[in-house]
């Protein structure tokens, strides 16, 4: 009689791997939300961007203010050339993602905070530091 544990172990491993693939981590969900947000902003689709926000953030940062924030940054920093690799983590109990945005004149950091459902609860663009 052959032991069944190797097949059972492989099955359990496969189930665990499949479950991990089916349920992305909160940080991965926040990284995806930040990607979707920056994509929508790049297209000028502020309604799609707002759809990613929590109701509280959508009320605080309506489409007109979001558009002013985004286009004002481009006015000051030049055209957006590329977005860098997102860096995510857990900060004060929330998933937070930082994405470097390389504009013609400088790099601006997009800071995206997500709630437990992966919706964006805070968003800001941090301009480059200036040296005195």
């Amino acid at each position: 009689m052959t032991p069944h544990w190797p097949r059972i172990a492989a099955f359990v491993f496969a189930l665990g791997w499949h479950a991990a693939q089916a349920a992305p981590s909160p940080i991965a969900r926040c990284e995806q939300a930040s990607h979707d947000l920056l994509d929508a902003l790049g297209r000028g689709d502020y309604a799609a961007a707002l759809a990613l926000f929590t109701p509280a953030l959508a009320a605080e940062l309506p489409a007109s203010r979001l558009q002013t924030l985004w286009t004002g940054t481009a006015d000051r920093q030049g055209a957006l050339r590329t977005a860098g690799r997102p860096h995510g983590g857990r900060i004060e109990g929330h998933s937070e993602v930082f994405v470097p945005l390389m504009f013609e004149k400088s790099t601006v950091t997009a800071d995206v905070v997500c709630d437990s459902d992966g919706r964006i609860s805070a968003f800001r663009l941090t301009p480059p530091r200036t040296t005195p």
Side-chain angles (χ1 to χ4, degrees):
M1 181 176 225
T2 59
H4 294 288
W5 69 265
R7 282 189 284 186
I8 293 170
F11 178 74
V12 170
F13 175 77
L15 281 177
W17 181 81
H18 179 68
Q21 294 300 317
S25 72
I27 295 167
R29 285 196 311 265
C30 194
E31 286 178 354
Q32 184 61 52
S34 67
H35 176 271
D36 294 346
L37 172 63
L38 294 172
D39 181 58
L41 292 174
R43 294 188 325 268
D45 189 349
Y46 302 103
L50 284 178
L52 301 166
F53 290 178
T54 61
L57 182 59
E60 179 184 323
L61 191 60
S64 60
R65 285 191 57 214
L66 183 60
Q67 180 177 5
T68 299
L69 173 66
W70 185 250
T71 59
T73 299
D75 289 346
R76 288 184 303 280
Q77 306 303 330
L80 178 63
R81 291 189 176 176
T82 189
R85 186 170 117 341
H87 301 277
R90 298 283 293 169
I91 299 174
E92 296 180 9
H94 293 87
S95 297
E96 191 161 359
V97 176
F98 301 95
V99 182
L101 303 173
M102 283 67 98
F103 287 86
E104 287 177 321
K105 297 178 184 175
S106 66
T107 299
V108 173
T109 302
D111 181 7
V112 178
V113 178
C114 298
D115 67 8
S116 60
D117 295 326
R119 298 191 50 118
I120 298 171
S121 59
F123 172 65
R124 67 182 160 267
L125 295 172
T126 305
R129 293 183 185 167
T130 57
T131 54

